[in-house]
Amino acid sequence: MKKSLLTAVFAVASLGGAYAQSNGDVTTNADKYKVETNRFFDNWFFDINGGAQVYFGSKDAKKSFGKRLAPALDVSLGKWFTPGMALRFGYMGLQGKGAAINEKEAFTTGGSFVKNGVKYYDQKWDMMNLHAEVLFNLSNMFCGYNPDRIYSFIPYVGFAWLHAWESPKNNEFGASLGLINKFRVSPALDINIEARGTLLKSGFAGDKGNHGKDGMAALTVGLTYKFKQRNFNRGTVISTGISESEMRRIQNQLRDAQAYNNQLKDEISALRNRKPEVVYKEVAADDSRVIFFPIDKSDLTAKDLVTVKLMAESIKATDKNYTVQGYADQATGSKAYNLRLSEARANNVRDALIKEGVSASKLKAVGMGGVESVFGKENQLSRVVIIK
């Protein structure tokens, strides 16, 4: 019974070895849409842009567009969490310009002009725009991650808090929408052409009587510096390649192991229900002698060597010559492989008998290959060495 359990263990170990050998055949493929997540301090960047911005209030359209242009400076810090999405926080200034119909209105400078017979007064004020946005790199999202891509199309949305430094000091919240055209210069440096629009409640420029919406548009050009770590490592897809013949061999071993497991369960159940008995058997000197092997094995265990020692004493007591016949089951493995396995089993038993003092001239080892049946239809009973 213990020998049967040991055989089952070796059968399972043989299956594990087959899988380990198959899994050694591994291929790794890069996926341009998958990357590994980086640490928090990776993929940070710094933007500095300069250009012009224009305020759109209720009376500003009366003033020529060129005279409403004001200088703009935009400084931001952000992080790419994935190749397709980033968060950015920044400061934008410096001035706003517009027109008022009342000389006493906020931010008027003393200058004036006439439009369609109506007199308007120039406005100018110092301001800042603290903004936060979510950036979407659509080039990476739709075309796959490529750190060497020359041009990237990056729209964004966010919110802003605008503050006017001039008296009366005004504060307004707004919503931002924009587009970054990014051109790669080097691994660390990009050139940006950015268009931004900000929508806010009317009155930031001093026109408190208008309850509509005002806006501000900006166009800037600048640079982005990317701190290390700058790039993302590509994600990998690991696949194992198992040949069809190898897969069939593994399936046969699994079926055989399952059948043997069911047999062991039946044997255990029968032994539990059987009453103890003592069996005496007289073994003649010329009786056949057998040693069973686990699936795919030819080595002798410590228990097998005890059996060999007893066989050697019996063989040395006679003048007969013996044939050591090795077998394998034909249900698993190829014909050539089973022949080599049966020869290895026969030679190992012959060598062990010689070590126990049996004359080599009395022993002949023969491999019989894979056979359908030796002691019955069960495959495990065909993995055997018979000494005749």
Side-chain angles (χ1 to χ4, degrees):
M1 181 62 195
K2 291 182 179 180
K3 184 175 180 180
S4 297
L5 290 173
L6 185 61
T7 303
V9 172
F10 279 125
V12 174
S14 175
L15 289 177
Y19 277 112
Q21 182 176 2
S22 298
N23 286 338
D25 199 8
V26 177
T27 58
T28 303
N29 299 316
D31 188 335
K32 66 179 181 178
Y33 292 101
K34 294 182 180 180
V35 296
E36 297 178 6
T37 302
N38 282 350
R39 298 171 299 177
F40 177 78
F41 292 103
D42 294 338
N43 305 105
W44 285 84
F45 61 91
F46 175 77
D47 292 337
I48 180 166
N49 297 338
Q53 59 186 359
V54 178
Y55 192 84
F56 294 91
S58 60
K59 307 296 188 301
D60 297 325
K62 305 301 181 180
K63 191 173 184 178
S64 65
F65 183 81
K67 292 183 178 181
R68 289 157 57 199
L69 290 175
L73 174 67
D74 196 354
V75 180
S76 303
L77 181 67
K79 171 181 169 59
W80 288 100
F81 290 90
T82 71
M85 189 184 76
L87 291 179
R88 185 177 70 167
F89 304 89
Y91 159 87
M92 188 172 185
L94 299 166
Q95 287 184 348
K97 292 182 179 181
I101 198 168
N102 189 335
E103 184 179 7
K104 302 298 183 180
E105 205 166 305
F107 311 141
T108 54
T109 62
S112 64
F113 62 93
V114 177
K115 180 76 171 182
N116 297 328
V118 180
K119 189 175 183 179
Y120 296 90
Y121 297 89
D122 295 324
Q123 288 180 306
K124 183 173 70 173
W125 67 96
D126 294 332
M127 58 161 292
M128 72 173 180
N129 178 351
L130 299 181
H131 55 85
E133 298 98 16
V134 181
L135 281 60
F136 303 95
N137 190 324
L138 298 187
S139 299
N140 281 338
M141 294 173 69
F142 289 100
C143 301
Y145 173 59
N146 180 5
D148 299 323
R149 181 176 283 115
I150 299 299
Y151 171 76
S152 295
F153 183 83
I154 308 174
Y156 62 82
V157 294
F159 64 89
W161 182 76
L162 286 78
H163 172 74
W165 297 104
E166 303 291 336
S167 182
K169 296 181 179 181
N170 292 334
N171 299 311
E172 291 291 347
F173 282 98
S176 297
L177 182 69
L179 172 65
I180 302 172
N181 295 278
K182 187 176 293 294
F183 299 88
R184 183 180 184 273
V185 177
S186 70
L189 202 64
D190 295 330
I191 294 177
N192 305 316
I193 301 176
E194 181 173 346
R196 171 191 296 274
T198 304
L199 182 67
L200 64 157
K201 188 172 68 173
S202 178
F204 180 69
D207 186 3
K208 299 297 184 180
N210 184 10
H211 300 288
K213 297 292 184 183
D214 286 359
M216 177 168 280
L219 181 64
T220 58
V221 178
L223 298 175
T224 294
Y225 178 77
K226 294 171 282 187
F227 299 96
K228 292 184 178 180
Q229 163 76 12
R230 298 184 176 101
N231 297 326
F232 290 87
N233 295 323
R234 291 190 182 278
T236 56
V237 179
I238 300 177
S239 60
T240 59
I242 302 178
S243 65
E244 185 177 351
S245 59
E246 181 72 6
M247 181 60 72
R248 283 198 300 268
R249 188 179 76 84
I250 293 172
Q251 289 173 342
N252 289 335
Q253 288 181 335
L254 286 172
R255 283 194 293 267
D256 195 34
Q258 183 62 45
Y260 193 44
N261 182 60
N262 293 335
Q263 180 185 342
L264 287 176
K265 289 181 180 179
D266 293 339
E267 289 180 3
I268 293 172
S269 177
L271 288 173
R272 286 175 176 171
N273 297 326
R274 190 176 67 183
K275 294 181 179 180
E277 60 178 342
V278 180
V279 178
Y280 298 94
K281 182 179 179 182
E282 183 177 350
V283 180
D286 58 350
D287 279 352
S288 297
R289 300 158 176 86
V290 297
I291 295 178
F292 290 94
F293 289 81
I295 186 171
D296 204 29
K297 299 294 182 182
S298 61
D299 296 331
L300 294 171
T301 66
K303 288 185 177 181
D304 294 334
L305 293 175
V306 173
T307 303
V308 168
K309 183 177 180 66
L310 296 175
M311 290 180 179
E313 296 300 323
S314 175
I315 292 173
K316 287 188 291 184
T318 70
D319 295 326
K320 296 180 181 180
N321 294 329
Y322 291 84
T323 300
V324 183
Q325 297 177 340
Y327 295 84
D329 71 279
Q330 69 177 14
T332 56
S334 64
K335 183 176 181 180
Y337 178 83
N338 286 333
L339 179 58
R340 292 194 301 271
L341 181 60
S342 65
E343 290 173 346
R345 288 170 174 171
N347 288 328
N348 287 347
V349 173
R350 179 180 181 274
D351 293 342
L353 288 170
I354 292 173
K355 286 183 179 180
E356 294 297 331
V358 178
S359 173
S361 61
K362 297 179 66 175
L363 300 173
K364 178 183 178 182
V366 179
M368 308 301 290
V371 297
E372 181 178 3
S373 173
V374 176
F375 295 111
K377 294 297 183 180
E378 290 82 5
N379 291 328
Q380 63 269 18
L381 298 181
S382 297
R383 305 168 193 137
V384 66
V385 167
I386 302 175
I387 305 171
K388 294 184 178 180

